[in-house]
């Protein structure tokens, strides 16, 4: 018997090994095997088992495997099929895809759960106990036993005393695997299913009855989560499991609590902040079937749930579902494929679906369930557009906060209600500019302007993380006068404090949340009404549900509208609709102020009206006319080298060759908005075709015919989302 193994070295090929007779019965597809590789021992996944070696050792001798690292397969045959599909579709080495699908922590041999001593009271009466021992035993019985160390601390005793109790048969002491529970110490209140309204019930029936993926298009606050919960409950009743994908940013304790509150211990949580031990334990609880519902970000789409019945992709339009490193998969699309391979239901939910998903629903590839109103008759918020042009005329320069917005905030302060302010930039202000010659301080390694951070008075590069103190004089003209242009969250916060000296203000951006849990802490504070105003970046745009927030302000809607990205309109619509969705989610009605220099822009107008259908119809028409997604498949190829001319030469050569491949529309090689990053020069080629397969085939052809030299990095990103 022979086995084809993918070895963890990113070689993008499978190696054939022989299986010794005594292991023939044990070796299974999907297992992790130990194999000899060169002079080393290596580990690799068994991908195929066959009776014959298909290409008997032409250039190498077939060696036998050394053993089986773990008898339980890490991949089911369906999961292997899925991993292979990702490898094909994204043009990525199979090993990188296998790696993406199993957390590294699970493969580390030392991540196994620690065994600690557990003290358990025995039944029946123990003989000859001293008064002190009797009292101790009673205490241990009362708490139902526990881990040795904490127990000693709690009852002010020693391990020796407990061992003496054990010797008399009063308690049993034995090592036990301690589960590292990411939810430990968090209070989770059990919740019961709510009585669904008419629209929710119709949506649930559509989901349960569908044999296609379902797009659940529900406005913010329409109760999508309750529909997911009840759809999952049905799967559990049928003995099946479920996966819920949420954007990493909205994987807050609040979200987790909603699922844990309904399904208790049957919920496993996977997210990036878990320790290796927690991840190992959660993954194994899923694999053994102890946990039936998995909540996590994009990588949770690979969770080894037994008898998977349903995958929910919440906020399916969210860009965090796209992995921005090899393999560059989109978890939403992987969910749809997994659903097809495993015959399980898939629900894609959003108030602002991606146009890719929307078109699929329009064309009948997906079923559509729509929920067009908020629950319990709560109205959508009233949206006002504020013309910054007029404000600028009235005040000589455009203010960060218009008078309308300030009045509205003051009103909330009076009423004891809360405000969320959204600004799509972090840092004190974006750039440091010489007043004399207008030159902007820029990172020497990356072609981006430095951002000034007032907390430690330094200039930081948001690409490479490099920093420098602000210069004393302009490096170009020697002048000493600088101005800080643009507005970041820190500067907005300061301006706000001037306007409202008594307001309690929280700021949330990448700088204020770099500590572990700081994200959660900030939100808990805001929820507990320990602050009046929350000001932040896109972090606060999604998924938050604060009943006391009745005002939302978008400080500058044009920042995303003017991005050099064909999805700028879509992003702007999503952003405005999502932040607006944070206002007035409970009894009190909400109000939204959107500040813009272009109050007559149809995209901003549609967003203000929450008119998704209108926006989508117009935008689809434009995309169709321009031959852009979702009507075509779009990919970018990026060429990087330390030497700019070398990067350009290869980008150019690939662009010209690919342009000759039938069925592709290929751009010239151009420097992207980010021309240099971390000392690497970058050139980009944009590729479009009717099908992703064609782009992948063309890429394989050129990569084989003209492989790039060692000093050049070439990467293909199919269905690229980040085009800058
Ligand atoms: P969405 O995910 O669509 O933005 P949520 O699921 O967060 O909406 O629901 C918004 C609020 O409405 C939540 O506080 C939720 O508990 C409540 N809710 C949902 N469904 C119902 C219902 N059928 N009856 C009453 N309240 C509901
Ligand atoms: Zn830099």
């Amino acid at each position: 018997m022979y086995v084809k193994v993918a070895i963890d070295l990113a070689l993008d090929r499978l190696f054939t090994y022989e299986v010794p007779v005594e292991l023939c019965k044990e070796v299974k597809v999907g297992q992790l095997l130990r194999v000899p590789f060169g002079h080393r021992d290596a580990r690799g996944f068994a991908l195929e088992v066959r009776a014959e070696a298909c290409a008997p050792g032409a250039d190498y001798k077939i060696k036998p495997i050394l053993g089986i690292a773990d008898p339980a397969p890490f991949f089911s045959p369906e999961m292997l099929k899925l991993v292979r599909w990702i490898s094909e579709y994204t043009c990525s080495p199979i090993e990188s895809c296998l790696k993406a699908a199993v957390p590294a922590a699970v493969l580390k041999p030392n991540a196994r759960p620690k065994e600690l001593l557990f003290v358990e009271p025995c039944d029946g009466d123990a003989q000859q106990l001293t008064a002190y021992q009797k009292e101790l035993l009673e205490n241990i019985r009362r708490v139902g036993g526990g881990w040795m160390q904490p127990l000693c601390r709690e009852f002010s005793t020693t391990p020796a005393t407990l061992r003496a109790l054990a010797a008399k048969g009063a308690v049993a002491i034995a090592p036990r695997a301690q589960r590292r529970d990411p939810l430990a110490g968090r209070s989770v209140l059990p919740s019961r299913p709510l009585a669904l309204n008419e629209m929710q019930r119709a949506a649930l029936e559509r989901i349960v009855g569908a044999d296609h993926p379902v797009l659940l298009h529900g406005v913010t606050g329409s109760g999508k989560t309750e529909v997911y919960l009840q759809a999952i409950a049905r799967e559990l009743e049928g003995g099946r499991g479920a996966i819920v994908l949420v954007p990493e940013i909205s994987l807050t304790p609040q979200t987790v609590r909603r699922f844990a509150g309904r399904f208790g211990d049957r919920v496993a949580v996977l997210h990036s902040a878990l320790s290796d031990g927690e991840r190992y334990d959660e993954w194994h609880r899923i694999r053994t079937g102890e946990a039936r519902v998995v909540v996590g970000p994009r990588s949770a789409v690979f969770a080894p749930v037994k008898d998977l019945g349903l995958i929910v992709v919440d906020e399916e339009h969210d860009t965090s579902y796209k992995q921005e490193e090899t393999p560059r998969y989109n978890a939403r699309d992987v969910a749809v494929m997994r659903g097809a391979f495993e015959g399980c239901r898939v629900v894609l939910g959003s108030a602002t679906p991606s146009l890719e998903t929307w078109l699929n629903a329009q064309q009948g590839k997906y079923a559509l369930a729509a929920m067009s109103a908020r629950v319990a008759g709560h109205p959508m918020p009233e949206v006002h557009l504020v013309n910054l042009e007029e404000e600028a005329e009235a005040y000589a320069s455009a203010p960060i906060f218009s008078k309308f917005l300030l009045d509205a905030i003051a009103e909330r302060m009076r009423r004891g209600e809360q405000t969320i302010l959204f600004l799509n930039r972090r840092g004190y202000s974006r750039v440091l500019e010489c007043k004399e010659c207008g030159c902007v301080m820029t990172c020497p390694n990356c072609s981006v302007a430095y951002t000034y951070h007032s907390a430690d008075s330094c200039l930081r590069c948001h690409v490479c993380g490099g920093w420098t103190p602000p210069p004393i004089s302009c490096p170009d003209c020697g002048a000493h006068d600088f101005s800080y242009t643009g507005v970041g969250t820190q500067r907005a916060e300061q301006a706000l404090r001037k306007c409202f000296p008594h307001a309690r203000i929280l700021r949330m951006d990448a700088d204020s949340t770099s500590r572990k849990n700081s994200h959660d802490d900030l939100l808990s504070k805001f929820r507990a009404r320990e602050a009046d105003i929350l000001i932040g970046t896109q972090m606060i745009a999604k998924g938050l549900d604060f009943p006391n927030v009745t005002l939302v302000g978008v400080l500058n809607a044009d920042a995303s509208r003017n991005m050099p990205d064909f999805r700028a309109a879509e992003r702007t619509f999503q952003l405005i609709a999502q932040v607006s969705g944070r206002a007035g989610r409970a009894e009190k009605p909400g109000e939204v102020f959107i500040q813009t220099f272009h109050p007559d822009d149809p995209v901003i107008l549609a967003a203000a009206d929450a008119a998704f259908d209108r926006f989508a119809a117009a935008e689809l028409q434009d995309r169709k006319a321009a031959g852009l997604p979702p009507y075509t498949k779009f990919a970018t190829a990026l060429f990087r080298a330390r030497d700019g001319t070398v990067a350009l030469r290869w980008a150019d050569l690939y662009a010209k060759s690919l342009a000759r491949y039938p069925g592709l529309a290929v751009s010239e090689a151009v420097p992207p908005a980010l021309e240099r990053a971390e000392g690497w020069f970058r050139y980009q080629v944009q590729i479009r075709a009717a099908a992703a397969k064609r782009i992948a085939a063309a890429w394989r052809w050129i990569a084989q015919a003209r492989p790039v030299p060692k000093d050049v990095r070439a990467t293909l990103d199919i269905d690229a989302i980040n085009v800058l």
Side-chain angles (χ1 to χ4, degrees), residues 442-448 450 460-467 676-679:
T442 306
C443 172
N445 293 322
C446 313
S447 58
V448 293
Y450 274 126
R460 281 187 196 285
C461 171
H462 284 190
V463 173
C464 70
W467 63 276
R676 281 184 83 187
E678 301 179 40

Side-chain angles (χ1 to χ4, degrees), residues 200 228 268 280-281 285 318 355 414 636:
Q200 287 175 311
Y228 304 149
Y280 182 99
D281 290 359
R285 287 178 64 233
D318 196 274
L355 290 176
R414 261 196 299 281
T636 59

Side-chain angles (χ1 to χ4, degrees), residues 194-197 200 219-226 258 375 545 585:
L194 300 172
L196 297 184
N197 64 32
Q200 287 175 311
V219 297
T220 54
S222 58
K224 293 185 287 296
T225 310
E226 187 60 33
R258 284 179 86 171
V375 292
D545 186 9
R585 290 171 67 83

Side-chain angles (χ1 to χ4, degrees), residues 119-259:
V119 183
E120 210 174 6
C122 298
D123 292 334
D125 285 331
Q127 301 302 311
Q128 296 153 346
L129 295 187
T130 64
Y132 173 69
Q133 285 177 330
K134 265 192 197 136
E135 188 196 327
L136 189 55
L137 177 60
E138 233 152 70
N139 278 331
I140 294 171
R141 284 220 168 109
R142 185 165 48 76
V143 299
W147 304 99
M148 176 77 99
Q149 297 247 321
L151 214 56
C152 288
R153 242 176 287 131
E154 190 171 349
F155 299 123
S156 313
T157 183
T158 61
T161 315
L162 289 175
R163 288 219 169 80
L165 264 188
K168 290 186 176 174
V171 298
I173 300 177
R176 202 185 262 193
Q178 187 183 35
R179 177 180 160 209
R180 292 149 294 187
D181 180 0
L183 294 180
R186 291 234 182 97
S187 63
V188 176
L189 290 178
S191 82
R192 299 176 147 279
L194 300 172
L196 297 184
N197 64 32
E198 207 54 57
M199 281 187 294
Q200 287 175 311
R201 202 164 335 127
L204 180 62
E205 288 318 315
R206 169 117 333 155
I207 290 166
V208 171
D211 45 11
H212 291 309
V214 177
L215 167 60
L216 177 55
H217 178 215
V219 297
T220 54
S222 58
K224 293 185 287 296
T225 310
E226 187 60 33
V227 174
Y228 304 149
L229 287 167
Q230 300 203 15
I232 295 166
R234 296 233 187 153
E235 298 300 334
L236 291 175
E237 278 162 28
R240 294 176 298 271
I243 296 175
V244 184
L245 300 184
V246 297
E248 175 87 51
I249 218 105
S250 48
L251 197 57
T252 56
Q254 187 198 354
T255 311
V256 172
R257 238 180 250 134
R258 284 179 86 171
F259 289 89

